[in-house]
Amino acid sequence: MAMSGEGATRESEITVGEVRAICYRMHDADQFFSISPSVECTFHFEYGIRLRGYDLSETRLAPGETVFVRLYWQSEGPTDKDYNIFVHVLGPDGRVYGQDDTMPQGGAMPSTRWRSGETIVDDDHVTVAGDAPPGEYTITLGMYDLETMQRLAVSDETGKALADNRVLIEGCV
């Protein structure tokens, strides 16, 4: 039962004992915090989903440390399925030494709820394995269907399809 006010739409309500919680979706949430990635990019995923940039907390890490990755997504509107986001840290030998696979915003903002033109900011934390060897690492990311494990196709800004349906952020860790 969605009710609309001037700045928000009431989406749901739950009552437990004497406590009542009401969830609202802000109409112009962008006005409350900066939607400006430190690294701007354009990668096009299937179903009108676009990665428009990212922030990295660190570009140098030691084994056991955590890298914070903030992703800035935009969509042409809701999708017909909820897609997961993966962020993997690949070592110089190509092995995965850290990963975070979750729904956008930890499940709070599934892709079936995205509105056209809305920017979805998703925070991911990836801890590098304690036994990670020294060397140059790569952060890879993308989206996939959890039911089928099929990754969404992704292309760069020129329309060139990316290998393994993933975006590479090189020179990290």
Side-chain angles (χ1 to χ4, degrees), residues 83-104:
Y83 295 105
N84 273 23
I85 296 170
F86 70 87
V87 179
H88 296 168
V89 175
L90 302 180
D93 58 0
R95 286 188 40 213
V96 175
Y97 285 95
Q99 69 182 68
D100 185 25
D101 289 41
T102 61
M103 288 180 62

Side-chain angles (χ1 to χ4, degrees), residues 99-119:
Q99 69 182 68
D100 185 25
D101 289 41
T102 61
M103 288 180 62
Q105 295 183 358
M109 187 53 82
S111 55
T112 53
R113 293 185 51 207
W114 293 7
R115 295 181 310 180
S116 182
E118 178 179 34
T119 298

Side-chain angles (χ1 to χ4, degrees), residues 58-135:
E58 303 289 334
T59 56
R60 290 282 194 221
L61 290 174
E65 292 185 336
T66 300
V67 63
F68 169 79
V69 183
R70 174 170 284 161
L71 303 173
Y72 296 81
W73 299 95
Q74 205 162 45
S75 177
E76 294 174 0
T79 60
D80 63 344
K81 290 184 174 184
D82 291 326
Y83 295 105
N84 273 23
I85 296 170
F86 70 87
V87 179
H88 296 168
V89 175
L90 302 180
D93 58 0
R95 286 188 40 213
V96 175
Y97 285 95
Q99 69 182 68
D100 185 25
D101 289 41
T102 61
M103 288 180 62
Q105 295 183 358
M109 187 53 82
S111 55
T112 53
R113 293 185 51 207
W114 293 7
R115 295 181 310 180
S116 182
E118 178 179 34
T119 298
I120 305 301
V121 178
D122 181 61
D123 293 333
D124 298 280
H125 301 81
V126 183
T127 300
V128 179
D131 64 347

Side-chain angles (χ1 to χ4, degrees), residues 125-141:
H125 301 81
V126 183
T127 300
V128 179
D131 64 347
E136 182 121 341
Y137 281 66
T138 301
I139 294 176
T140 66
L141 61 98

